């Protein structure tokens, strides 16, 4: 992910100040959608092994709190309709991200000082996960209880620091800082406004009866990748035609298989600043060399 977000922000920033559309060529060269597609490719491998081959799957990487959380969470969303409900998605984030120790402080630059950026730890790992979730939702609009606005608002509150859910790197640090005494959970915010996040196209019957493991038209989703990956234009505060218009053909570009993070994040509306927490410099991602083993 080296410099990916930097390039996306560079491509869209002028359209905040002028009638010019985002630079489509620069958007493609950023490699952002390629990384989202690679993540979904790995998800398909996991889902296929579990749902079709009835195999156990071991997901592992260097540290276990970046790419592991991404792939594990996306696979569960595809395999189990519970995680496509509002309550289920909140439980999934608490389980596979907050409790499992994703380093939100390091990755998002919270409570930051120069040393966090010198060490190049900032990386949009959770942002990528939400983007990939949006791709699956967009491809299967009747299978999700929550809507795109739910994901977008969650991304906003990832950086707002209004709630304690995403502060610090793990539960031990949050307990030591007495986060539960000094702040509220972000889920209180979402539960108090549940009607805002309901997907009007949601059809629970499409997933069949509880505990069914049907494949054809059943509970399991297989994300489409390649040309099916689109820009999440609402995340970047743009119109659909600005970022998902006609395709542009470019020479093939070799991107790193597992790269580093970047300094900037997308804001929540046209003319807004990048997400808080991103600073100058290149930020490294961890969990390089992720592998999926079938057992």
């Amino acid at each position: 992910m080296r410099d990916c977000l930097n390039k996306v922000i560079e491509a869209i920033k002028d359209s905040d100040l002028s009638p010019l559309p985002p630079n489509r060529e620069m958007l493609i060269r950023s490699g952002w959608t390629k990384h989202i597609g690679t993540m979904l490719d790995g998800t398909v491998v996991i889902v296929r092994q579990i749902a079709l081959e009835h195999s156990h799957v071991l997901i592992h990487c260097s540290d276990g709190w970046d790419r592991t959380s991404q792939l594990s969470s996306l696979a569960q969303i595809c395999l189990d309709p519970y995680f496509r409900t509002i309550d289920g998605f909140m439980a999934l984030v608490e389980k596979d991200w907050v409790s499992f120790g994703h380093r939100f402080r390091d990755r998002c630059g919270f409570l930051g000082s120069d040393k966090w950026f010198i060490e190049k730890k900032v990386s949009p790992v959770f942002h990528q996960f939400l983007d990939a979730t949006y791709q699956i939702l967009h491809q299967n609009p009747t299978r999700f209880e929550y809507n795109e606005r739910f994901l977008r608002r969650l991304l906003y509150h990832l950086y707002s620091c209004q709630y304690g859910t995403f502060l610090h790197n793990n539960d031990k640090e949050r307990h030591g800082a007495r986060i539960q005494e000094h702040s509220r959970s972000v889920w209180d915010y979402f539960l108090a406004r549940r009607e805002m996040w309901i997907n009007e196209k949601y059809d629970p019957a499409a997933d069949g009866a509880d505990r069914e493991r049907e494949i054809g038209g059943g509970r399991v989703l297989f994300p489409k990748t390649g040309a099916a990956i689109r820009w999440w234009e609402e995340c970047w505060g743009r119109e659909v035609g600005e970022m998902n218009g006609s395709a542009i053909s470019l020479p093939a570009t070799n991107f790193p298989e597992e790269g580093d993070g970047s300094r900037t994040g997308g804001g929540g509306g046209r003319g807004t600043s990048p997400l808080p927490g991103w600073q100058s410099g290149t930020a490294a991602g961890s969990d390089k060399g992720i592998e999926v083993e079938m057992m």
Side-chain angles (χ1 to χ4, degrees), residues 130 133-135 137-138 141 144-155 190 196-200 230-238 268:
L130 293 179
T133 302
Y134 163 78
Q135 304 293 330
L137 187 158
H138 186 268
F144 286 78
E145 182 184 22
Y146 46 89
N147 54 25
E148 178 273 338
R149 187 181 186 185
F150 174 75
L151 299 176
R152 183 159 33 99
R153 190 59 60 88
L154 184 58
L155 178 61
F190 285 103
M196 296 173 60
W197 325 121
I198 297 296
N199 175 15
E200 295 180 354
R230 55 180 281 122
W231 286 95
W232 182 11
E233 70 277 352
E234 295 94 342
C235 166
W236 307 102
R238 297 301 183 273

Side-chain angles (χ1 to χ4, degrees), residues 116-281:
W116 306 123
F117 304 107
I118 292 173
E119 294 174 3
K120 299 179 175 60
K121 294 183 177 181
V122 178
S123 184
V125 176
F126 192 72
H127 183 171
Q128 281 185 317
F129 160 66
L130 293 179
D131 197 321
T133 302
Y134 163 78
Q135 304 293 330
I136 305 172
L137 187 158
H138 186 268
Q139 295 171 15
N140 303 273
T142 65
R143 311 295 286 274
F144 286 78
E145 182 184 22
Y146 46 89
N147 54 25
E148 178 273 338
R149 187 181 186 185
F150 174 75
L151 299 176
R152 183 159 33 99
R153 190 59 60 88
L154 184 58
L155 178 61
Y156 172 81
H157 281 302
L158 170 67
Y159 292 101
S160 73
C161 295
Q162 290 180 251
Y163 302 94
T165 304
F166 302 125
L167 297 180
H168 298 286
N169 285 332
N170 50 55
D171 277 341
K172 181 178 184 296
E173 289 186 7
R174 282 185 282 273
H175 179 75
R178 299 161 65 185
I179 285 294
Q180 290 184 336
E181 299 176 27
H182 299 303
S183 68
R184 299 290 297 271
S185 169
V186 72
W187 310 125
D188 292 340
Y189 167 85
F190 285 103
L191 291 174
R193 299 162 176 81
R194 180 184 285 266
E195 67 282 355
M196 296 173 60
W197 325 121
I198 297 296
N199 175 15
E200 295 180 354
K201 298 180 180 180
Y202 178 52
D203 180 15
D207 287 317
D210 287 345
R211 300 183 181 84
E212 287 183 359
R213 303 298 292 184
E214 303 173 39
I215 302 302
R219 297 161 62 88
V220 179
L221 303 180
F222 290 91
K224 300 174 184 176
T225 59
I229 302 300
R230 55 180 281 122
W231 286 95
W232 182 11
E233 70 277 352
E234 295 94 342
C235 166
W236 307 102
R238 297 301 183 273
E239 301 292 336
V240 60
E242 292 182 286
M243 302 187 76
N244 289 295
S246 58
I248 298 176
S249 297
L250 292 176
T253 303
N254 294 323
F255 295 100
E257 285 299 318
E258 189 66 42
D260 298 331
S262 143
R263 65 177 171 87
T264 36
R270 191 183 250 291
T272 58
S273 298
L275 293 173
W278 300 101
Q279 303 284 335
S280 299

Side-chain angles (χ1 to χ4, degrees), residues 6 13 29 33 42 48 58 68 75 84 112 135 147 171 184-185 202 208-209 224 234 236 251 269 288 290 292:
N6 283 341
K13 69 177 185 180
R29 291 190 183 279
T33 54
R48 188 175 299 278
L58 171 64
T68 302
R84 303 196 286 268
Q135 304 293 330
N147 54 25
D171 277 341
R184 299 290 297 271
S185 169
Y202 178 52
K224 300 174 184 176
E234 295 94 342
W236 307 102
K288 299 178 181 177
I290 183 167
V292 179

Side-chain angles (χ1 to χ4, degrees), residues 51-65:
L52 298 182
E53 303 297 332
H54 307 289
S55 171
H56 298 288
V57 173
L58 171 64
I59 307 170
H60 66 92
C61 50
S62 60
D63 293 301
W65 38 259

